[in-house]
Amino acid sequence: MRRYLRVLLVGTVLVFCSVLYVFSQLASSLEARAGGQGRKAPHGAALLQGRGGQRVRKGAGSAGPEDPRWGDRYAVREPGSAGASKGPTELMHLAVVACGQRLEETVTMLKSAVIFSIKPVQFHIFAEDQLHGSFKEILESWPRQFRLKFNYTIYSIAFPSENAAEWKKLFKPCASQRLFLPIILKEVDSLLYVDTDILFLQPMDEIWSFLSEFNATQMAAMAAEHEEPRIGWYNRFARHPFYGRTGVNSGVMLMNMTRIREKHFKNDMTTVLLQWEELLMPLLRKYKLNITWGDQDLLNIIFHHNPESLFVFPCQWNYRPDHCIYGSNCIPAEEEGIFILHGNRGVYHDEKQPAFRAVYEVIRKVPICEEELMGSLKLHANHNGVKYCTPQTAIQTKLTREHGSGEGTQTAQVYSVLFDLTWTTSY
């Protein structure tokens, strides 16, 4: 009898402790919820001075998850950019990652986006801390009529803290940052990511419109790595799965990030479907000895197993030297022109592809004034004696678009210089 009483007593104590634990957890949860609704900024957080006297706070900000794994970041916000996401029909989002000696190249890309785009753009610039001041100084120096066409936010490079070193050294410094954009920019629904060596030759609005062409399963869009399988890299040399016949190139990547965050992906590591954040590190651990092009290879592996999730846009939206070095193999560019120029292989900075460099140099040097840009492009397009990818005809049309700035106000004219570049091969 005494033994049964002891068992009963021990059981009662255990039940009592369990009830106390449940109530303490419930109380903590309610307190955290209440605290989150009225959370104050950290005491003593530094303030930065923005344009027009606006102050912007140094800290994680609202641009990403308040997660200690990501380390410290700060944002420089322009007036009207707080709560940057206004919906894909009102504001386009463009992201770029700049490390090392990529400041000038990145600014040239941003300039091309501003010159040609029609709707306003929100720039998300991920850069090493020593570049932040230079970005802000340059963007603030642009004429007011162009500054009204964009907002910008500058972020420090951010990887999960437990694997930061491994991610940062993958392929090129900071290149794999793009993989974490859906996780960091949680308030952004859709986004266009581009490499620093991209030049827009058409309004960003045009490639942004591909979002409306996604079917119910598609969540990202890229161009094929090669149009001609005989010169393809992935189908000849890759030691890992890749998308389609020749793989895809991630230098221009359009994303519906809401869908990416919500999807559970098929993979070859487990029978369990994994979300984007759960997928990345296991994928790197499995394939890190077999990948050559870093994060682009990881994207190829992901969409190899989830082909229904990818929209492939034509090669003229990611036109690279590969499309003309070995003969012209991008038929849409021949028929309709080049819409986005991708100067990979460093061709903007050497003499291997003078035509690519000529276009880059004009946009880099010219003030943001359409008339001067037009004249400079005509001058450079008529140069002689270049080899390989050579512009046959250039700068054939200049369109004037009119936009009302509001009822009862004067109509503003926005000039968009459109390129029709046809590339041929000469030896």
Side-chain angles (χ1 to χ4, degrees), residues 305-367:
H305 295 292
N306 302 269
E308 75 285 352
S309 299
L310 188 66
F311 179 100
V312 179
F313 48 66
C315 50
Q316 68 208 100
W317 291 102
N318 187 352
Y319 191 91
R320 287 161 278 123
D322 305 81
H323 290 118
C324 53
I325 289 178
Y326 308 108
S328 180
N329 56 67
C330 180
I331 295 175
E334 295 179 5
E335 296 176 346
E336 302 173 6
I338 297 166
F339 298 159
I340 290 182
L341 194 66
H342 187 176
N344 64 341
R345 302 176 182 264
V347 296
Y348 293 153
H349 311 293
D350 59 32
E351 301 299 331
K352 294 179 180 179
Q353 301 297 338
F356 279 77
R357 182 171 183 175
V359 176
Y360 173 79
E361 285 297 315
V362 169
I363 297 179
R364 181 181 71 85
K365 292 178 180 179
V366 76

Side-chain angles (χ1 to χ4, degrees), residues 90-93 118-122 148-151 205:
E90 298 180 13
L91 189 65
M92 301 179 295
H93 290 263
I118 302 169
K119 290 184 293 190
V121 185
Q122 170 72 40
L148 293 175
K149 295 179 66 176
F150 69 93
N151 293 323
D205 311 62

Side-chain angles (χ1 to χ4, degrees), residues 111-270:
K111 182 192 288 188
S112 72
V114 172
I115 288 173
F116 292 106
S117 293
I118 302 169
K119 290 184 293 190
V121 185
Q122 170 72 40
F123 294 146
H124 300 272
I125 304 169
F126 288 80
E128 292 175 311
D129 290 352
Q130 64 267 28
L131 299 178
H132 291 192
S134 298
F135 272 115
K136 188 173 188 296
E137 180 181 357
I138 293 170
L139 294 176
E140 293 292 333
S141 70
W142 288 357
R144 183 176 182 274
Q145 66 268 31
F146 288 96
R147 281 186 282 134
L148 293 175
K149 295 179 66 176
F150 69 93
N151 293 323
Y152 68 91
T153 309
I154 301 175
Y155 311 81
S156 291
I157 300 300
F159 296 108
S161 57
E162 64 268 24
N163 309 111
E166 192 166 6
W167 283 113
K168 189 167 185 178
K169 67 183 180 182
L170 182 65
F171 185 43
K172 294 180 180 179
C174 310
S176 59
Q177 179 74 84
R178 84 186 87 182
L179 295 175
F180 299 95
L181 296 179
I183 305 169
I184 297 173
L185 301 177
K186 286 189 174 180
E187 84 286 3
V188 177
D189 175 70
S190 296
L191 179 87
L192 176 65
Y193 165 85
V194 296
D195 285 347
T196 61
D197 53 6
I198 290 296
L199 291 174
F200 289 89
L201 306 183
Q202 282 279 344
M204 179 181 159
D205 311 62
E206 301 296 330
I207 191 169
W208 191 258
S209 68
F210 281 126
L211 288 167
S212 63
E213 298 184 27
F214 284 10
N215 63 27
T217 65
Q218 292 167 336
M219 59 193 62
M222 289 180 275
E225 174 69 15
H226 288 282
E227 300 300 307
E228 174 51 65
R230 289 176 296 176
I231 61 173
W233 192 92
Y234 282 107
N235 55 296
R236 292 189 297 159
F237 305 116
R239 296 181 294 160
H240 57 79
F242 56 89
Y243 178 87
R245 292 194 307 158
T246 61
V248 286
N249 184 282
S250 60
V252 180
M253 183 177 180
L254 184 64
M255 293 178 274
N256 183 319
M257 299 204 298
T258 299
R259 291 186 178 183
I260 291 176
R261 286 187 288 263
E262 293 175 350
K263 182 175 174 62
H264 291 74
F265 292 85
K266 299 186 291 290
N267 61 88
D268 59 0
M269 298 170 292
T270 173

